[in-house]
């Protein structure tokens, strides 16, 4: 079967590899659609390590080979019996593995996936939409963690796919959103999805602007850009006793010198968020179609990831299909 295999930085090749053999606890799933995530780009650029020869991809859907059911694939495998699994946090499992990161993933014609990781897709959600569940799940998880009150100000740094979905879910929660990015083509979408204020950080100082709008600082801040400069801004954006969700990479970036009292936390999505994400898509409460800027076939995966990595192409979500 054809699969997108990691060779070395800047080199992911579509190759013929052996079809996986599912165990008794797994099902064989035929790939229908997947999307390229920021994590895939970190591997592609050589910024994060991944095993040579591994199939990448952790955001996809397909059809089960036995019953032909359309399913979304949750990529995190867990043991079901450790401290975290028994307390409802399988995404923190002591034996956690992420398909497409720690073992073979989904950008292949077939994947063997644990049966409990397969989530049925409602008929009115397309394959392409179901290929973009991870950032929707992450936005649900983060906003449920933040628990904003009606009209709370939420400042969202970064309006890539994750930030744009944070904007949408924050609006569903009744928040007021200040969306910050460096690219006007992304901020146009923030506006479409209901952001109350859009700030291009190339043109305006986001800290100054947020203070002008909120006077005392933002009730909540979501860092979804994952770069040192934006992580460093978070303590200057949040009000006293506010909350900051660090969703992007933040390791080693944060200095809390000026904070008297605030809650800073990291977050990732759990399997419980995926059915909720599908429900929001099915009810048209969240839109992912508008995030799709490019589509490629699985056999053209190299071109797909080059496009996702090229800001001149103005990518938001690059989707790969059969
Ligand atoms: Zn991802
Ligand atoms: Zn476990």
């Amino acid at each position: 079967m054809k699969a997108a295999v990691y060779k070395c930085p800047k080199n992911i090749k579509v190759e013929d590899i052996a079809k996986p053999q599912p165990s008794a606890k797994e099902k064989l799933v035929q790939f229908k659609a997947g999307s390229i995530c920021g994590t895939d780009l970190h591997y592609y650029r050589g910024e994060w390590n991944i095993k040579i020869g591994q199939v990448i991809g952790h955001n996809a859907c397909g059809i089960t080979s036995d019953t032909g059911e359309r399913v979304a694939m949750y990529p995190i495998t867990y043991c079901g019996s450790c401290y975290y699994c028994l307390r409802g946090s399988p995404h923190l499992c002591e034996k956690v593995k992420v398909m497409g990161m720690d073992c073979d993933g989904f950008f292949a014609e077939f994947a063997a996936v644990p049966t409990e990781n397969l989530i049925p897709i409602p008929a009115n959600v397309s394959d392409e939409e179901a290929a973009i569940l991870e950032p929707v799940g992450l936005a649900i998880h983060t906003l449920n963690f933040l628990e904003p009150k009606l009209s709370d100000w939420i400042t969202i740094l970064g309006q890539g796919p994750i930030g744009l979905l944070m904007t949408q879910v924050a609006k569903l929660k009744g928040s007021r959103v200040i969306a910050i990015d460096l690219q006007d083509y992304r901020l146009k979408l923030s506006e479409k999805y209901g952001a109350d204020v859009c700030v291009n950080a190339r043109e305006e100082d986001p800290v100054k602007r947020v203070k002008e709008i909120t006077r005392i600082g933002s009730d909540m801040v979501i860092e979804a850009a994952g770069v040192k400069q934006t992580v460093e801004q978070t303590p200057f954006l949040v009000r006293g006793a506010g909350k900051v969700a660090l969703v992007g990479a933040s390791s080693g970036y944060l200095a809390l010198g000026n904070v008297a009292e605030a809650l800073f936390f990291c977050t990732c999505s759990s399997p419980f968020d995926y059915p909720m994400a599908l429900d929001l898509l099915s009810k048209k409460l969240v839109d992912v179609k508008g995030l799709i800027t490019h589509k490629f076939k699985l056999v053209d995966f190299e071109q797909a990831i080059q496009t996702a990595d090229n800001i001149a192409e103005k990518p938001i979500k690059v989707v790969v299909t059969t």
Side-chain angles (χ1 to χ4, degrees):
M1 66 165 189
K2 296 260 184 272
V5 176
Y6 176 82
K7 310 299 276 184
C8 63
K10 297 277 178 182
N11 186 355
I12 293 175
K13 280 234 158 355
V14 177
E15 290 188 337
D16 272 311
I17 62 165
K19 200 166 157 180
Q21 298 294 322
S23 71
K25 292 177 177 171
E26 294 173 330
K27 279 194 184 199
L28 196 63
V29 179
Q30 188 182 1
F31 176 87
K32 292 299 285 182
S35 65
I36 293 175
C37 162
T39 302
D40 301 322
L41 291 175
H42 283 302
Y43 294 139
Y44 178 65
R45 294 175 192 142
E47 294 162 350
W48 293 359
N49 287 330
I50 187 166
K51 217 170 66 197
I52 291 166
Q54 197 175 290
V55 177
I56 72 156
H58 58 277
N59 259 293
C61 68
I63 52 173
T64 56
S65 292
D66 56 354
T67 57
E69 190 178 14
R70 294 173 69 232
V71 287
M73 298 183 266
Y74 178 67
I76 296 179
T77 65
Y78 47 94
C79 75
S81 57
C82 73
Y83 177 93
Y84 295 107
C85 284
L86 292 175
R87 282 159 182 80
S89 298
H91 56 299
L92 305 177
C93 174
E94 292 175 56
K95 293 177 186 160
V96 74
K97 274 195 177 165
V98 185
M99 299 181 77
M101 297 185 201
D102 307 312
C103 53
D104 279 345
F106 301 148
F107 286 128
E109 285 179 282
F110 292 91
V113 185
T115 309
E116 70 257 26
N117 288 43
L118 301 175
I119 305 148
I121 302 170
N124 70 341
V125 175
S126 68
D127 292 338
E128 288 170 7
E129 291 173 283
I132 314 180
L133 285 189
E134 185 199 36
V136 182
L138 188 59
I140 293 168
H141 200 82
T142 304
L143 268 302
N144 281 346
F145 222 110
L146 282 169
E147 294 185 310
K149 294 188 178 70
L150 284 173
S151 287
D152 268 355
W153 281 109
I154 305 188
T155 298
I156 305 173
L157 292 151
Q159 292 290 294
I162 291 173
L164 285 165
L165 284 158
M166 295 286 175
T167 294
Q168 292 190 47
V169 178
K171 290 310 295 178
L172 277 181
K173 289 272 193 184
S175 314
R176 289 182 286 180
V177 170
I178 302 172
I180 300 175
D181 202 277
L182 297 170
Q183 306 290 339
D184 283 331
Y185 79 92
R186 295 182 174 212
L187 290 167
K188 275 208 180 77
L189 279 173
S190 319
E191 199 179 347
K192 172 184 153 187
Y193 292 131
D196 299 82
V197 183
C198 296
V199 179
N200 185 325
R202 278 189 213 281
E203 290 156 17
E204 296 178 272
D205 174 1
V207 174
K208 203 171 147 217
R209 189 72 204 283
V210 167
K211 284 280 162 66
E212 275 167 13
I213 297 163
T214 62
R215 192 177 63 81
I216 54 172
S218 194
D219 298 294
M220 294 169 190
V221 177
I222 298 171
E223 200 297 313
V227 293
K228 192 163 185 282
Q229 199 186 355
T230 49
V231 175
E232 282 175 344
Q233 281 170 344
T234 59
F236 298 93
L237 292 167
V238 70
R239 69 159 165 79
K243 296 179 194 172
V244 178
L246 299 165
V247 180
S250 60
S251 179
Y253 294 166
L254 196 59
L256 292 173
N258 72 317
V259 178
E261 182 178 283
L263 178 69
F264 286 72
F265 65 93
C266 298
T267 177
C268 63
S269 73
S270 88
F272 306 114
D273 304 315
Y274 271 54
M276 180 67 73
L278 278 167
D279 190 53
L280 293 183
L281 292 180
S282 172
K283 290 179 175 146
K284 312 295 174 205
L285 291 170
V286 164
D287 172 58
V288 291
K289 272 191 217 155
L291 304 180
I292 301 171
T293 49
H294 301 81
K295 293 183 202 177
F296 291 92
K297 298 284 180 200
L298 182 60
V299 288
D300 298 320
F301 187 82
E302 288 174 71
Q303 214 187 327
I305 200 151
Q306 280 164 13
T307 304
D309 192 36
N310 182 2
I311 195 76
E313 295 276 355
K314 299 187 175 182
I316 294 182
K317 262 296 175 203
V318 176
V319 164
V320 176
T321 60
T322 43

